[in-house]
Structures are given as C-alpha cells and as structure tokens.
Amino acid sequence: MKAKKFAGRLLTLIMMMVMLTGAAYAEGSTLHDLLAIVPAPEEGARVFLSYVDVDAMMKARPAEFIPKNADEHFLPAAQPYRMARMGVVAGSPELQMALLMPDAEAVNGFSPFAVKSSLYLGHPPYQQTWLTGDFEEAPLTGALTAQDYQMMEAPQGGFAVWCPDGDCSIGHNMDMNRRNAASLFGGSLGRRWPIALFPGVLATAPDEKVFEGIINQQGPSLSELPAVQAMLKLLQPEGAPPPSQLILVDAGDGMGEQVPGVGLMALAQVDGETALTVRLVLQFEEEAAAQAARERLDGEGLEAIQLQDNTPLTARLEDLQGQVTDLSVQVSPGAGALLVMDVSFPSQAQVTAADPESPSALPFGMFYQMFMKRDLRWLVP
C-alpha cells in the first residue's frame, strides 16, 4: 500500500517536471501540483505556508534582461528585473538572500535565479522548503560533497538524498565556521540541512522527522486537507491564473489573537491582464459568523476601519487606487464557510507604464505588512 502511494506521488512529480519544463504557464498551476506532494502538518499543528511563483511574477512584469548570477543582478540592464523582484515577499527567505551572493551557484549546485517557484512551510525548528526548477544531480553532488554531505540510499527509487556527514539527524547542529549566507540549506547559521532531489523539485528541512516525511511520502499531502482544498478552489477558480504569491496560515497569526470559530486565513496576489487582485479568504466554522463579518465590511462599514497606526483602511486602498470588487461567503462541505474579499488594483503592466521605477506588487506588499504586524483583526467583528 505504501509503495503504491509513493509511486503515485512520484508520478505526480514526473508529470509536474514535464509541465514545468515543457508546457505553457496557463496550462497548469505549479502550486496545486506542489501541494499534492508536500506532507500535511501533524494534526493540531499550526499551519504556516508562504509561496511565490517567480515565473508568474516575472510574467506580470516582464524584463528584457534576466540576470543569471549576482554580478549580472547589479548591472544597469537588470534594473527592470530588480524592480520586479522587489515585489517578492513570500517563499523561502534564504532564496532572497542567496540572490545577492556571488558564490551562490557554487555553494548550492544551482543558480538561485533559476528557481521557478518557492514554498516555505511550518515554523522553526520544523520548517521545510520546497523549490521547483531545472535542477541537475551532478552539480548538486559536487557542491554538497565539498561541504561534507554524503549521498544516502533513498527509501524508494526515483530521487536522490544527501545528508551532512551521512547523518540526516544533525540538520539543527550549528557550526559558526561553516556560516555562509549563500547556502539555501541553513548556511546562514552554519547549519547543513538534509536535501532531497525529486524530478524538477528540491526539498529540504532541518528536522529529521520532518525530512523523513518528505522522503517517505506516506502520509496525507497538504492538498488533501479539506480546508486547504476549499481555499485553493477560491484562490484559483477554474480558468483563472494561479496566485503569484500566497500566505496561508492559522488566522490568529494574522490577527494577533486566536478568535473562536475562525480557522485558516489566506492572503493571495493574483495577477491578471487588467488588474492585480489581492484576495483574502477567511475560514469560519459557522456560516452565520461569516455572514456577520461580510455585512460588517460591506458598504460604509469598511470606511470605519482604522489600522494600528490610526490610518483608515480606505485611505491605504485609495493611495494605490484599490477598491473592493468582491465581498461574499462561500459554504464548503468539510471546511465550513469561507469569507472572500477581493481588492483590485491597477495591473502591474499599467503601473509600470506609468512609472517604470515603481517596485512591483505594492498592493500585496501592503497587505503582507498588515499580516506581519498582526493588523488583520478588522476582518472579524
């Protein structure tokens, strides 16, 4: 039974690799495919997911010159790329740092500029990072061997595993003599996380138990959780583009306190041809509570909301030409009731045409800052 489940997950990985390397972007969502192989958190554990589709971000704000390394990143010709990349606030924090490091490709075995999407899941010390891209085993082996990694026997065929000193249990160990911010695998604190390379996907985690879940692929995946399934359907309706960036967390992480009857919260950036939409989705146990939240936000209720710095929410939206375009409640079997709030802004193409020096995705960045400051309590009465 376990072997059959792993074979199914491996087939998903292979199909995902084909899609990433050969198909047009609009034909599939790397987010859906990635969540189908990411292990679900243990029951009762807090959910924290941060994801960025780098390819989608670049498609929304194209740049003629795409740097391949840190030296090219600072060339004048790379200015449009830098402006587009400045809008990335989600995904692996290590990836953002590695972009600035000249030796990143030599240290990691691939260029951080080649990463197509990045997913960060969990809270330290149990976090895990997933990257998609055209990774090759030989350069990875060379780079990791130089850091005293050893290739391990994988539980099943079809992928490669490396562990520091041949021991997958020492990912938390720190060695300040090994500190290297260019490393995507714990190097900023002198750590060496175990690494698994699947077709087109690289995964790493410092904790041995978490890493075992990644390579064994035996438990339920994140996309199998009913609440996550319901969220994904709302975040990417049929025929719509997938989120460019996504934060999916326990709602208390965005509101500064746990609110009874409220479950998950999603904050997504969806790039369209005519608008950049920030979509907020909030899970309620009871439909009546979701409807009460919707009624409070509807009409004049939105104008009464003050943020922590005493700025009216509507003033922040108006600064970026934003307006609420959807405020609704969707009932989902197994997931309760979901409050959906869409705030639409000018598309990134429109913003760039007006000001080529403007950083990308400022609206999502604004809501991300609200999340980081736990300033989204206004979503619930």
Side-chain angles (χ1 to χ4, degrees), residues 22-363:
Y25 178 77
E27 293 178 3
S29 166
T30 60
L31 174 60
H32 282 256
D33 295 314
L34 195 54
L35 294 186
I37 60 173
V38 174
E42 292 186 358
E43 186 174 355
R46 291 162 58 204
V47 174
F48 183 95
L49 182 150
S50 181
Y51 169 84
V52 61
D53 186 329
V54 178
D55 279 1
M57 292 286 289
M58 298 310 301
K59 181 181 178 182
R61 186 166 173 167
E64 292 184 4
F65 177 75
I66 306 297
K68 297 181 178 62
N69 52 53
D71 291 336
E72 292 185 355
H73 182 62
F74 293 103
L75 293 175
Q79 176 72 358
Y81 177 89
R82 290 196 297 272
M83 292 297 99
R85 197 87 194 207
M86 282 180 66
V88 175
V89 294
S92 164
E94 289 84 9
L95 180 62
Q96 293 297 92
M97 178 64 70
L99 292 172
L100 307 178
M101 301 296 164
D103 59 339
E105 183 169 358
V107 169
N108 296 295
F110 60 90
S111 170
F113 291 88
V115 172
K116 297 177 181 292
S117 64
S118 161
L119 184 148
Y120 179 93
L121 178 68
H123 294 275
Y126 305 111
Q127 75 271 32
Q128 51 187 289
T129 297
W130 294 72
L131 308 174
T132 70
D134 301 328
F135 308 117
E136 296 181 7
E137 184 175 320
L140 269 164
T141 299
L144 296 176
T145 300
Q147 299 167 64
D148 300 319
Y149 277 80
Q150 295 179 22
M151 183 171 280
M152 313 294 290
E153 183 177 353
Q156 304 280 347
F159 66 100
V161 175
W162 296 266
C163 289
D165 301 328
D167 186 349
C168 298
S169 70
I170 62 173
H172 289 302
N173 293 1
M174 290 191 295
D175 181 350
M176 292 297 103
N177 292 323
R178 290 184 179 272
R179 288 189 64 184
N180 189 337
S183 169
L184 294 168
F185 315 121
S188 60
L189 292 176
R191 289 172 170 154
R192 293 173 296 157
W193 298 346
I195 300 157
L197 177 64
F198 304 96
V201 182
L202 187 148
T204 182
D207 184 76
E208 182 182 18
K209 186 176 180 181
V210 173
F211 188 68
E212 285 179 354
I214 290 173
I215 62 176
N216 288 330
Q217 293 281 310
Q218 293 174 357
S221 70
L222 198 57
S223 67
E224 292 178 76
L225 301 182
V228 174
Q229 288 180 355
M231 288 275 188
L232 289 176
K233 288 181 180 179
L234 289 177
L235 293 170
Q236 187 188 353
E238 187 174 352
S244 300
Q245 299 193 83
L246 169 65
I247 305 295
L248 177 62
V249 297
D250 284 354
D253 284 344
M255 297 191 291
E257 61 178 308
Q258 296 296 328
V259 179
V262 179
L264 295 179
M265 169 191 291
L267 174 63
Q269 171 187 333
V270 181
D271 284 296
E273 293 183 3
T274 59
L276 181 156
T277 299
V278 175
R279 179 165 296 151
L280 293 96
V281 183
L282 194 61
Q283 179 194 20
F284 290 82
E285 291 180 2
E286 303 292 338
E287 182 182 0
Q291 292 291 0
R294 184 195 66 78
E295 291 170 5
R296 175 176 173 271
L297 294 171
D298 202 10
E300 296 180 359
L302 199 67
E303 298 177 1
I305 295 173
Q306 298 279 325
L307 301 178
Q308 290 176 355
D309 61 2
N310 295 320
T311 301
L313 174 63
T314 52
R316 289 284 186 86
L317 301 184
E318 290 168 1
D319 285 345
L320 296 176
Q321 303 177 55
Q323 58 182 335
V324 177
T325 52
D326 182 33
L327 194 56
S328 59
V329 172
Q330 307 288 333
V331 178
S332 177
L338 302 174
L339 172 68
V340 182
M341 179 178 177
D342 279 1
V343 188
S344 295
F345 301 85
S347 71
Q348 298 212 57
Q350 293 167 337
V351 172
T352 305
D355 181 8
E357 298 300 312
S358 173
S360 72
L362 286 176

